Amino acid sequence: MKWFSEYLYSMKGDKEKGVKVVKVSRDITERKKVEEDLIIAKERAERNEKELLCAQELARMGSCYLDLESDQITLSSEVYKMYGLDPSIPVPLFAEFKNLHTPESWNLLSVAIENTIKTGDPFELELRTLKKDGSKGWIWALGEVVRDSNEKIIC
């Protein structure tokens, strides 16, 4: 199938020649194909995101990302549950996240993250958590770096 974009322009002529109409057509088939591919890719990504969140809920595991430049944390919905956080309230910055761990666990996590950022080596820790309602829990934390296209560690 071919797609075309067409424009009609009218121009005044003199009294004897009347109005002139110019039609400009352009083949936009390639652009439409790219648009369709983007729609399909977006739908696939949305479906994959839903499947990932469902799998995390079933497995009772979540994901957490720390942006090193902004100190902002992004949590999956399951991590909100683990920490007893309200998902409608913005996530605290990383430095404030320590209130959700016992001092010993926060120290272990902080040292592990610093080491991972310096060396790129992953970590695994068992941590004691403190929920907003005062109850305590345990989480198993696995951490690794994410690099940009230039191999710079970004989270």
Side-chain angles (χ1 to χ4, degrees):
M1 175 191 294
K2 288 277 196 182
W3 288 84
F4 293 93
S5 173
E6 297 186 335
Y7 300 94
L8 296 175
Y9 299 98
S10 61
M11 298 184 289
K12 278 188 174 179
D14 55 34
K15 288 185 180 180
E16 291 133 23
K17 295 183 181 175
V19 175
K20 294 181 182 179
V21 175
V22 176
K23 176 181 166 187
V24 177
S25 297
R26 185 171 49 187
D27 185 344
I28 60 169
T29 305
E30 198 57 39
R31 185 183 86 197
K32 285 297 203 181
K33 173 81 171 101
V34 169
E35 288 173 359
E36 289 171 359
D37 290 347
L38 286 173
I39 290 169
I40 291 168
K42 181 181 177 193
E43 289 170 351
R44 185 177 298 130
E46 288 170 354
R47 186 176 61 248
N48 289 344
E49 175 76 12
K50 286 179 184 176
E51 289 173 359
L52 173 63
L53 293 175
C54 182
Q56 286 186 351
E57 184 176 4
L58 290 170
R60 298 188 68 198
M61 60 189 305
S63 52
C64 175
Y65 296 92
L66 168 61
D67 182 316
L68 297 176
E69 287 188 18
S70 68
D71 201 34
Q72 185 64 48
I73 299 172
T74 304
L75 306 175
S76 69
S77 56
E78 198 61 25
V79 175
Y80 276 95
K81 291 177 191 174
M82 289 178 197
Y83 283 103
L85 298 172
D86 180 352
S88 66
I89 297 173
V91 179
L93 294 176
F94 180 69
E96 301 165 34
F97 211 61
K98 70 180 176 185
N99 298 328
L100 299 173
H101 299 88
T102 63
E104 300 81 17
S105 286
W106 179 251
N107 185 51
L108 285 172
L109 181 60
S110 298
V111 169
I113 290 173
E114 285 178 29
N115 183 57
T116 297
I117 291 169
K118 287 178 189 171
T119 66
D121 295 336
F123 67 84
E124 288 186 44
L125 299 170
E126 187 174 33
L127 302 171
R128 187 84 164 140
T129 61
L130 302 171
K131 295 184 180 183
K132 289 285 186 182
D133 66 5
S135 64
K136 293 182 179 181
W138 290 95
I139 62 168
W140 188 256
L142 304 154
E144 63 183 10
V145 297
V146 175
R147 299 177 189 273
D148 66 11
S149 59
N150 297 319
E151 292 299 310
K152 177 184 173 195
I153 296 173
I154 55 173
C155 68

